[in-house]
Amino acid sequence: MKTKWNRPELLAASAFMATGFGALWIARDYPVGTVTRMGPGFVPIAISVLLILSAAVVAMQSRSLPASATRPRLKPFVFIIGGILAWALLVDRVGFVPSTVILVLACASVEIGSTWRASLLLAGGLCAAGYAIFIRGLGIPLSPFGG
């Protein structure tokens, strides 16, 4: 029996592999350091290699998976990419908290069965965790509300 490639899975694996190789290319000149004294290139290179290996596994498995009968939906793609872009463009202007709320609400709006209450609770939790980890814990210079 001849097996077909599951094209959507193969396309996704190719996109992740291209992203991994792109990140590896960007980090190629960063000093890696050692495991005990990591340089600035250690984590990006390690994550890039893991992404490439994971994509290779998904690509190999896409040969044994049945082809998906559903058509890809454009609305989730647009809203999620739009939410990420909105966060990146707004975080310096309106602050970490409002831009994160916008990101979560944009992404949650395309989730089937999602409620406003659950989305707002998720946004609040992510804002609190992000504030504690990134702004307080790591000292990243982001303003919580406006800058």
Side-chain angles (χ1 to χ4, degrees):
M1 184 172 112
K2 190 175 182 182
T3 332
K4 288 187 172 182
W5 291 91
N6 184 332
R7 290 182 192 234
E9 290 284 331
L10 189 59
L11 183 62
S14 300
F16 283 120
M17 195 173 284
T19 303
F21 279 119
L24 199 58
W25 178 260
I26 291 170
R28 73 186 184 282
D29 293 328
Y30 295 167
V32 178
T34 64
V35 175
T36 56
R37 284 191 63 92
M38 295 180 209
F42 189 90
V43 171
I45 290 172
I47 291 174
S48 299
V49 169
L50 288 174
L51 185 60
I52 292 166
L53 293 175
S54 299
V57 169
V58 170
M60 289 298 127
Q61 289 177 345
S62 71
R63 185 164 174 98
S64 61
L65 294 174
S68 176
T70 61
R71 295 184 56 179
R73 296 176 19 215
L74 185 60
K75 182 180 176 183
F77 177 78
V78 169
F79 273 66
I80 291 170
I81 296 298
I84 294 168
L85 288 174
W87 188 92
L89 294 172
L90 292 174
V91 71
D92 288 333
R93 293 184 179 100
V94 299
F96 177 77
V97 173
S99 58
T100 302
V101 170
I102 291 169
L103 169 63
V104 171
L105 293 179
C107 294
S109 69
V110 293
E111 177 67 31
I112 297 171
S114 175
T115 64
W116 281 101
R117 181 176 181 233
S119 300
L120 289 172
L121 285 171
L122 176 62
L126 286 175
C127 288
Y131 177 80
I133 293 168
F134 297 111
I135 297 174
R136 286 298 214 184
L138 296 174
I140 294 177
L142 288 174
S143 171
F145 294 96

